Amino acid sequence: RSHCMNQYPSKIKIGQNITFVGTVNFDETTKLFSDRLLDRANVFIPKKNTLADMYKHCFGERESMEIEQVHCTKGTYRKWIKREDSSIYHLSKMEIEILDELHRLINEQDRQKGVSFRTAKSIAYYLNNIPKDVSDVPYLNREEAFDLQIKQRIISKIRGIDSFVRPLLNTEEEQVGTLLQYLRLDHTQSYGKFTHTIELIESKMKELTNYGFAY
């Protein structure tokens, strides 16, 4: 122990090549994230690989798996991050219109919830920092990136009991004033398909039906 204390200082400077990623077991035994925390983070749930894919990976058949390997050096990563203003002015008029309408629908159900200015700025920052490959082509197109941000930063905060959640998440075709109905309008679909967001809404609705609560 004394050898380690003499060799390493009590404080170590964290370099710019270090990135922290947090994980959490998210189920009925854990406390829900606060909206303040969700305003400051992207939350995503990784999908489980099939056992067949895991078998191929373990036994050297990786070439048959459709996985794009991105080898990222510190220099490449730093180039992806733009330090300029992360203002909402980086959003298009259509993107602002969609965020405003999502805010209206959510805020009508709960005056304490919606799309905050901080959330809009974070989405703008994300869209303005989409990584690009060596040919200067974005790894994500803007429409899919915007879809992912709505899923991770807005729909992730739609959770709770039936009286609040159901009017927003109802997946029945005849229901009006729901998030799903708005996202499926021809006008909204002219921007993008919102596949990721719709998938999460449908998943939360199943949770509500099965457990009486959406997480």
Side-chain angles (χ1 to χ4, degrees):
R1 179 182 299 178
S2 60
H3 174 72
C4 290
M5 291 179 65
N6 292 332
Q7 186 175 359
Y8 299 104
S10 59
K11 294 182 179 180
I12 300 176
K13 184 177 180 180
I14 303 298
Q16 292 184 337
N17 60 322
I18 302 296
T19 300
F20 291 95
V21 177
T23 64
V24 63
N25 292 329
F26 195 58
D27 55 32
E28 69 280 358
T29 67
T30 56
K31 187 176 181 180
L32 294 177
F33 294 145
S34 69
D35 285 356
R36 287 173 63 86
L37 187 151
L38 293 173
D39 277 346
R40 294 165 169 81
N42 282 304
V43 178
F44 66 94
I45 302 173
K47 291 185 178 180
K48 177 184 178 295
N49 280 341
T50 65
L51 296 178
D53 282 344
M54 294 176 65
Y55 184 90
K56 291 177 183 178
H57 181 81
C58 291
F59 287 93
E61 299 179 25
R62 302 180 187 183
E63 66 277 2
S64 63
M65 299 174 63
E66 296 181 359
I67 298 177
E68 181 182 2
Q69 298 289 336
V70 179
H71 299 283
C72 178
T73 64
K74 172 188 173 183
T76 300
Y77 177 75
R78 301 311 301 175
K79 288 179 181 178
W80 286 344
I81 302 176
K82 299 176 182 177
R83 294 299 182 184
E84 61 257 30
D85 179 29
S86 60
S87 167
I88 62 171
Y89 295 115
H90 289 302
L91 298 172
S92 70
K93 290 183 179 180
M94 182 66 171
E95 289 162 351
I96 290 176
E97 176 187 327
I98 291 171
L99 293 178
D100 275 341
E101 182 60 17
L102 292 175
H103 172 80
R104 185 188 69 80
L105 291 170
I106 296 169
N107 195 246
E108 281 183 350
Q109 297 302 319
D110 187 337
R111 293 299 179 185
Q112 300 299 315
K113 293 184 180 292
V115 181
S116 68
F117 183 71
R118 181 186 296 113
T119 299
K121 283 188 66 177
S122 297
I123 292 174
Y125 183 79
Y126 181 96
L127 295 178
N128 199 38
N129 284 275
I130 299 173
K132 297 179 180 179
D133 63 18
V134 292
S135 300
D136 205 37
V137 177
Y139 284 107
L140 278 177
N141 64 57
R142 190 177 177 93
E143 292 75 19
E144 184 175 8
F146 187 55
D147 178 15
L148 287 169
Q149 283 294 278
I150 292 177
K151 172 187 176 180
Q152 295 171 5
R153 289 189 173 273
I154 298 175
I155 306 304
S156 63
K157 293 192 287 187
I158 308 300
R159 66 264 173 93
I161 59 176
D162 189 282
S163 58
F164 165 60
V165 176
R166 188 174 294 276
L168 290 170
L169 300 183
N170 205 314
T171 54
E172 297 177 12
E173 292 291 339
E174 64 272 13
Q175 292 294 323
V176 297
T178 66
L179 297 174
L180 200 58
Q181 184 214 30
Y182 173 67
L183 292 173
R184 285 176 171 167
L185 291 176
D186 290 342
H187 177 65
T188 315
Q189 288 277 304
S190 68
Y191 176 91
K193 298 302 180 184
F194 294 98
T195 305
H196 300 289
T197 300
I198 290 173
E199 181 182 39
L200 182 58
I201 290 174
E202 292 174 339
S203 175
K204 283 180 173 285
M205 191 61 194
K206 289 178 182 177
E207 290 177 349
L208 187 65
T209 301
N210 292 335
Y211 309 115
F213 191 94
Y215 293 94

